[in-house]
Amino acid sequence: MADPTGIDALIDLMARLPGLGPRSARRAVLVLLKKRGQLMAPLAQALAEVALSAKDCHVCGNISTTDICPICTEPSRATGEICVVEDVADLWAMERGQVFKGRYHVLGGTLSALDAVGPDELGIPRLVARVADEGVQEVILALNATVDGQTTAHYIADALAPTAVQITTLAQGVPIGGELDYLDDGTIGAALRARRKL
Amino acid sequence: MADPTGIDALIDLMARLPGLGPRSARRAVLVLLKKRGQLMAPLAQALAEVALSAKDCHVCGNISTTDICPICTEPSRATGEICVVEDVADLWAMERGQVFKGRYHVLGGTLSALDAVGPDELGIPRLVARVADEGVQEVILALNATVDGQTTAHYIADALAPTAVQITTLAQGVPIGGELDYLDDGTIGAALRARRKL
């Protein structure tokens, strides 16, 4: 049993992080307690600083420490391409791919009648305005291959239809390094339909 | 890619916690960024407070927010029994068992010639002094069943021999709910040797 004053409360907070349960939160807090100077104090400070300075980018919805995120302010990324993603995690994943050199639009979710998430909550009118304002030639819909993701993709395509911008979506197929034997039938079918000349 | 100013540094710090790698640290930071008010700010504050106030108990070596930990100051725990554990994690584990009602002595490790950890580093002279000062009748050695743990246990038993205090150790055997089929041979042998009348 830890000291009831502060350590238990800290363990409870840590246990609310994804990937940490009560047991691993306890273990993490013990390591922190042993490395008070090298790890716990810097972590507390980094968390406090980011909690204060982090904000949603006014333009694309990315999380950043500035009002407009570094991707939106980078002049070399004004390529006339906007990649629409569901979540900041997806934006980070796209950036790790190091292929896309344009800008983003983070929806922050998918359309959902049950959760009362409509086009306004996802910033879809803002996306339509950006396409006109920024002289965008291509909108890449990088939404997840779920029913909700695809419904949202179709809605966005309809909303962008009047602007005559080119709308594309990520290719579906066999992942790099993937073995056919371990792939689901739907992916194999999609890869076969989208086969291309070698 | 996150904002290079603060978010990346925060992910690096989080990834140094046990149980979190670079990928799960990123996921945890994303959740924190989304719950800036409800989770990130309170966690930063709790970490800062504990980092400032946490200290090792002067008497037993437990980590607490007071100079002498609540276990050492609790009058009902002056039972004349001291339980010797390697680590604060072991003390917490013993407390979760809710059976031991005495006080503790946290060594902070085991004897190790390679790592230059001697009796003084583990507070063994302090333990011998406590046995005399506190009128201790029984010292329970709850050290891990490793070679280092058992070497340390034998050293402590020798050091305590002049005080004529009773020295005991935890029973070894089949865990509650354990199935024989899944137990290692050493545990089965130990449980058989220590068999008792039903």
mmCIF file of all heavy atoms in Angstrom, chain A residues 95-121:
data_model
loop_
_atom_site.group_PDB
_atom_site.id
_atom_site.type_symbol
_atom_site.label_atom_id
_atom_site.label_comp_id
_atom_site.label_asym_id
_atom_site.label_seq_id
_atom_site.Cartn_x
_atom_site.Cartn_y
_atom_site.Cartn_z
ATOM 1 N N GLU A 95 2.817 11.017 -41.616
ATOM 2 C CA GLU A 95 4.107 11.703 -41.599
ATOM 3 C C GLU A 95 5.258 10.713 -41.466
ATOM 4 O O GLU A 95 6.315 10.910 -42.045
ATOM 5 C CB GLU A 95 4.154 12.715 -40.446
ATOM 6 C CG GLU A 95 3.363 13.975 -40.728
ATOM 7 C CD GLU A 95 3.970 14.752 -41.885
ATOM 8 O OE1 GLU A 95 5.006 15.364 -41.692
ATOM 9 O OE2 GLU A 95 3.388 14.708 -42.988
ATOM 10 N N ARG A 96 5.043 9.620 -40.708
ATOM 11 C CA ARG A 96 6.096 8.612 -40.575
ATOM 12 C C ARG A 96 6.367 7.947 -41.914
ATOM 13 O O ARG A 96 7.472 7.475 -42.165
ATOM 14 C CB ARG A 96 5.714 7.565 -39.525
ATOM 15 C CG ARG A 96 5.815 8.069 -38.103
ATOM 16 C CD ARG A 96 5.847 6.930 -37.103
ATOM 17 N NE ARG A 96 4.650 6.092 -37.124
ATOM 18 C CZ ARG A 96 3.506 6.394 -36.522
ATOM 19 N NH1 ARG A 96 3.381 7.523 -35.855
ATOM 20 N NH2 ARG A 96 2.484 5.579 -36.572
ATOM 21 N N GLY A 97 5.331 7.892 -42.785
ATOM 22 C CA GLY A 97 5.516 7.320 -44.120
ATOM 23 C C GLY A 97 6.459 8.143 -44.971
ATOM 24 O O GLY A 97 7.051 7.625 -45.922
ATOM 25 N N GLN A 98 6.607 9.441 -44.649
ATOM 26 C CA GLN A 98 7.541 10.348 -45.338
ATOM 27 C C GLN A 98 7.339 10.407 -46.842
ATOM 28 O O GLN A 98 8.290 10.623 -47.585
ATOM 29 C CB GLN A 98 8.995 9.957 -45.039
ATOM 30 C CG GLN A 98 9.330 10.080 -43.558
ATOM 31 C CD GLN A 98 10.804 9.875 -43.291
ATOM 32 O OE1 GLN A 98 11.522 9.390 -44.150
ATOM 33 N NE2 GLN A 98 11.260 10.242 -42.109
ATOM 34 N N VAL A 99 6.114 10.201 -47.321
ATOM 35 C CA VAL A 99 5.858 10.288 -48.758
ATOM 36 C C VAL A 99 5.013 11.523 -49.064
ATOM 37 O O VAL A 99 5.286 12.252 -50.008
ATOM 38 C CB VAL A 99 5.152 9.013 -49.274
ATOM 39 C CG1 VAL A 99 4.655 9.199 -50.684
ATOM 40 C CG2 VAL A 99 6.102 7.831 -49.193
ATOM 41 N N PHE A 100 4.001 11.781 -48.239
ATOM 42 C CA PHE A 100 3.092 12.892 -48.517
ATOM 43 C C PHE A 100 3.758 14.213 -48.152
ATOM 44 O O PHE A 100 4.277 14.372 -47.051
ATOM 45 C CB PHE A 100 1.796 12.703 -47.724
ATOM 46 C CG PHE A 100 0.794 13.783 -47.970
ATOM 47 C CD1 PHE A 100 0.201 13.922 -49.222
ATOM 48 C CD2 PHE A 100 0.437 14.651 -46.964
ATOM 49 C CE1 PHE A 100 -0.724 14.919 -49.450
ATOM 50 C CE2 PHE A 100 -0.490 15.655 -47.185
ATOM 51 C CZ PHE A 100 -1.068 15.786 -48.426
ATOM 52 N N LYS A 101 3.749 15.168 -49.078
ATOM 53 C CA LYS A 101 4.441 16.444 -48.854
ATOM 54 C C LYS A 101 3.466 17.619 -48.825
ATOM 55 O O LYS A 101 3.884 18.774 -48.864
ATOM 56 C CB LYS A 101 5.475 16.678 -49.967
ATOM 57 C CG LYS A 101 6.574 15.633 -50.006
ATOM 58 C CD LYS A 101 7.430 15.675 -48.756
ATOM 59 C CE LYS A 101 8.506 14.610 -48.749
ATOM 60 N NZ LYS A 101 8.956 14.299 -47.386
ATOM 61 N N GLY A 102 2.147 17.341 -48.819
ATOM 62 C CA GLY A 102 1.166 18.426 -48.805
ATOM 63 C C GLY A 102 0.718 18.739 -47.388
ATOM 64 O O GLY A 102 1.447 18.527 -46.430
ATOM 65 N N ARG A 103 -0.501 19.253 -47.281
ATOM 66 C CA ARG A 103 -1.034 19.618 -45.976
ATOM 67 C C ARG A 103 -2.167 18.682 -45.581
ATOM 68 O O ARG A 103 -2.567 17.835 -46.370
ATOM 69 C CB ARG A 103 -1.495 21.077 -45.995
ATOM 70 C CG ARG A 103 -0.284 21.993 -46.065
ATOM 71 C CD ARG A 103 -0.637 23.446 -46.147
ATOM 72 N NE ARG A 103 0.605 24.237 -46.148
ATOM 73 C CZ ARG A 103 0.670 25.523 -46.476
ATOM 74 N NH1 ARG A 103 -0.416 26.172 -46.821
ATOM 75 N NH2 ARG A 103 1.829 26.148 -46.450
ATOM 76 N N TYR A 104 -2.676 18.846 -44.352
ATOM 77 C CA TYR A 104 -3.662 17.911 -43.810
ATOM 78 C C TYR A 104 -4.961 18.605 -43.462
ATOM 79 O O TYR A 104 -5.034 19.838 -43.367
ATOM 80 C CB TYR A 104 -3.115 17.249 -42.540
ATOM 81 C CG TYR A 104 -1.987 16.296 -42.812
ATOM 82 C CD1 TYR A 104 -0.674 16.727 -42.759
ATOM 83 C CD2 TYR A 104 -2.244 14.968 -43.131
ATOM 84 C CE1 TYR A 104 0.365 15.862 -43.025
ATOM 85 C CE2 TYR A 104 -1.206 14.091 -43.390
ATOM 86 C CZ TYR A 104 0.100 14.548 -43.338
ATOM 87 O OH TYR A 104 1.120 13.687 -43.602
ATOM 88 N N HIS A 105 -5.968 17.776 -43.240
ATOM 89 C CA HIS A 105 -7.194 18.239 -42.603
ATOM 90 C C HIS A 105 -7.629 17.136 -41.635
ATOM 91 O O HIS A 105 -7.954 16.028 -42.065
ATOM 92 C CB HIS A 105 -8.279 18.515 -43.637
ATOM 93 C CG HIS A 105 -9.436 19.255 -43.055
ATOM 94 N ND1 HIS A 105 -9.493 20.627 -42.990
ATOM 95 C CD2 HIS A 105 -10.574 18.809 -42.479
ATOM 96 C CE1 HIS A 105 -10.608 20.999 -42.398
ATOM 97 N NE2 HIS A 105 -11.290 19.921 -42.088
ATOM 98 N N VAL A 106 -7.589 17.437 -40.338
ATOM 99 C CA VAL A 106 -7.930 16.434 -39.324
ATOM 100 C C VAL A 106 -9.400 16.580 -38.953
ATOM 101 O O VAL A 106 -9.824 17.637 -38.475
ATOM 102 C CB VAL A 106 -7.049 16.612 -38.061
ATOM 103 C CG1 VAL A 106 -7.395 15.542 -37.027
ATOM 104 C CG2 VAL A 106 -5.573 16.552 -38.421
ATOM 105 N N LEU A 107 -10.174 15.522 -39.196
ATOM 106 C CA LEU A 107 -11.614 15.596 -38.918
ATOM 107 C C LEU A 107 -11.891 15.523 -37.412
ATOM 108 O O LEU A 107 -12.786 16.174 -36.906
ATOM 109 C CB LEU A 107 -12.340 14.436 -39.602
ATOM 110 C CG LEU A 107 -12.286 14.420 -41.138
ATOM 111 C CD1 LEU A 107 -12.902 13.123 -41.657
ATOM 112 C CD2 LEU A 107 -13.032 15.613 -41.693
ATOM 113 N N GLY A 108 -11.131 14.693 -36.713
ATOM 114 C CA GLY A 108 -11.388 14.497 -35.286
ATOM 115 C C GLY A 108 -12.460 13.456 -35.031
ATOM 116 O O GLY A 108 -13.013 13.393 -33.936
ATOM 117 N N GLY A 109 -12.749 12.611 -36.016
ATOM 118 C CA GLY A 109 -13.754 11.558 -35.827
ATOM 119 C C GLY A 109 -14.412 11.222 -37.150
ATOM 120 O O GLY A 109 -13.918 11.590 -38.223
ATOM 121 N N THR A 110 -15.529 10.499 -37.083
ATOM 122 C CA THR A 110 -16.303 10.177 -38.279
ATOM 123 C C THR A 110 -17.746 10.583 -38.030
ATOM 124 O O THR A 110 -18.166 10.763 -36.886
ATOM 125 C CB THR A 110 -16.244 8.673 -38.587
ATOM 126 O OG1 THR A 110 -16.578 7.965 -37.387
ATOM 127 C CG2 THR A 110 -14.867 8.246 -39.040
ATOM 128 N N LEU A 111 -18.489 10.737 -39.101
ATOM 129 C CA LEU A 111 -19.917 11.037 -38.981
ATOM 130 C C LEU A 111 -20.588 9.930 -38.182
ATOM 131 O O LEU A 111 -20.311 8.752 -38.391
ATOM 132 C CB LEU A 111 -20.566 11.114 -40.372
ATOM 133 C CG LEU A 111 -20.162 12.292 -41.256
ATOM 134 C CD1 LEU A 111 -20.786 12.125 -42.628
ATOM 135 C CD2 LEU A 111 -20.573 13.601 -40.624
ATOM 136 N N SER A 112 -21.439 10.302 -37.244
ATOM 137 C CA SER A 112 -22.115 9.288 -36.442
ATOM 138 C C SER A 112 -23.439 9.864 -35.953
ATOM 139 O O SER A 112 -23.458 10.809 -35.150
ATOM 140 C CB SER A 112 -21.239 8.876 -35.269
ATOM 141 O OG SER A 112 -22.015 8.176 -34.318
ATOM 142 N N ALA A 113 -24.548 9.304 -36.447
ATOM 143 C CA ALA A 113 -25.858 9.798 -36.020
ATOM 144 C C ALA A 113 -26.066 9.486 -34.538
ATOM 145 O O ALA A 113 -26.613 10.294 -33.780
ATOM 146 C CB ALA A 113 -26.955 9.145 -36.859
ATOM 147 N N LEU A 114 -25.578 8.310 -34.107
ATOM 148 C CA LEU A 114 -25.771 7.897 -32.709
ATOM 149 C C LEU A 114 -25.105 8.863 -31.740
ATOM 150 O O LEU A 114 -25.659 9.226 -30.709
ATOM 151 C CB LEU A 114 -25.189 6.499 -32.497
ATOM 152 C CG LEU A 114 -26.134 5.329 -32.734
ATOM 153 C CD1 LEU A 114 -25.400 4.033 -32.488
ATOM 154 C CD2 LEU A 114 -27.351 5.431 -31.830
ATOM 155 N N ASP A 115 -23.842 9.263 -32.055
ATOM 156 C CA ASP A 115 -23.098 10.148 -31.162
ATOM 157 C C ASP A 115 -23.313 11.617 -31.491
ATOM 158 O O ASP A 115 -22.605 12.471 -30.957
ATOM 159 C CB ASP A 115 -21.599 9.818 -31.231
ATOM 160 C CG ASP A 115 -21.327 8.387 -30.811
ATOM 161 O OD1 ASP A 115 -22.097 7.886 -29.976
ATOM 162 O OD2 ASP A 115 -20.359 7.789 -31.311
ATOM 163 N N ALA A 116 -24.274 11.912 -32.383
ATOM 164 C CA ALA A 116 -24.590 13.293 -32.766
ATOM 165 C C ALA A 116 -23.355 14.010 -33.295
ATOM 166 O O ALA A 116 -23.086 15.155 -32.942
ATOM 167 C CB ALA A 116 -25.205 14.066 -31.595
ATOM 168 N N VAL A 117 -22.568 13.305 -34.128
ATOM 169 C CA VAL A 117 -21.424 13.939 -34.784
ATOM 170 C C VAL A 117 -21.829 14.225 -36.218
ATOM 171 O O VAL A 117 -22.023 13.298 -37.013
ATOM 172 C CB VAL A 117 -20.179 13.033 -34.750
ATOM 173 C CG1 VAL A 117 -19.021 13.713 -35.473
ATOM 174 C CG2 VAL A 117 -19.792 12.720 -33.321
ATOM 175 N N GLY A 118 -22.025 15.507 -36.545
ATOM 176 C CA GLY A 118 -22.430 15.903 -37.895
ATOM 177 C C GLY A 118 -21.281 16.551 -38.631
ATOM 178 O O GLY A 118 -20.166 16.644 -38.108
ATOM 179 N N PRO A 119 -21.515 17.013 -39.862
ATOM 180 C CA PRO A 119 -20.456 17.631 -40.676
ATOM 181 C C PRO A 119 -19.794 18.817 -39.987
ATOM 182 O O PRO A 119 -18.580 19.012 -40.117
ATOM 183 C CB PRO A 119 -21.208 18.071 -41.930
ATOM 184 C CG PRO A 119 -22.438 17.228 -41.975
ATOM 185 C CD PRO A 119 -22.801 16.922 -40.562
ATOM 186 N N ASP A 120 -20.573 19.608 -39.217
ATOM 187 C CA ASP A 120 -19.989 20.792 -38.577
ATOM 188 C C ASP A 120 -18.959 20.394 -37.526
ATOM 189 O O ASP A 120 -17.899 21.009 -37.413
ATOM 190 C CB ASP A 120 -21.087 21.650 -37.925
ATOM 191 C CG ASP A 120 -21.911 22.372 -38.980
ATOM 192 O OD1 ASP A 120 -21.375 22.590 -40.082
ATOM 193 O OD2 ASP A 120 -23.079 22.677 -38.707
ATOM 194 N N GLU A 121 -19.255 19.347 -36.736
ATOM 195 C CA GLU A 121 -18.317 18.892 -35.709
ATOM 196 C C GLU A 121 -17.002 18.433 -36.340
ATOM 197 O O GLU A 121 -15.950 18.537 -35.725
ATOM 198 C CB GLU A 121 -18.922 17.743 -34.892
ATOM 199 C CG GLU A 121 -19.936 18.164 -33.837
ATOM 200 C CD GLU A 121 -21.281 18.540 -34.424
ATOM 201 O OE1 GLU A 121 -21.565 18.086 -35.552
ATOM 202 O OE2 GLU A 121 -22.017 19.301 -33.779
#
